[in-house]
Amino acid sequence: MVSEHVQSRSGKRQKTEDRIIGAAAELFLKHGFKATTIRAIARAAEVSVGRVMSVGDKDVILVRCFDRWIGQLQNGTYT
């Protein structure tokens, strides 16, 4: 039972991080890296600034966006 709870929390955490990275990617593409703020990413992902910062600072988030884009290109799912 404890294992199910941990997996559920882990799954929710991953979905939230995916939403944050997705929101950041859209904002970076639309407004550019410099103009995009952590606050704007939080607003777009509908999470707190602290939750965004738990994923990483803007540089780390940008790298995670690149990782996502590269994976999508490799899988043929990039749009």
Side-chain angles (χ1 to χ4, degrees), residues 31-71:
H31 302 291
F33 178 77
K34 271 185 139 180
T36 300
T37 64
I38 291 292
R39 190 173 305 279
I41 295 169
R43 194 174 321 117
E46 299 179 339
V47 297
S48 69
V49 169
R51 183 64 185 98
V52 174
M53 291 303 296
S54 73
V55 173
D57 62 14
K58 270 181 39 175
D59 292 328
V60 169
I61 293 172
L62 179 63
V63 170
R64 301 245 340 239
C65 289
F66 285 137
D67 288 342
R68 176 183 275 191
W69 292 326
I70 290 167

Side-chain angles (χ1 to χ4, degrees), residues 20-38:
I20 291 167
I21 300 303
E26 287 181 29
L27 292 170
F28 290 154
L29 290 171
K30 185 175 182 178
H31 302 291
F33 178 77
K34 271 185 139 180
T36 300
T37 64
I38 291 292

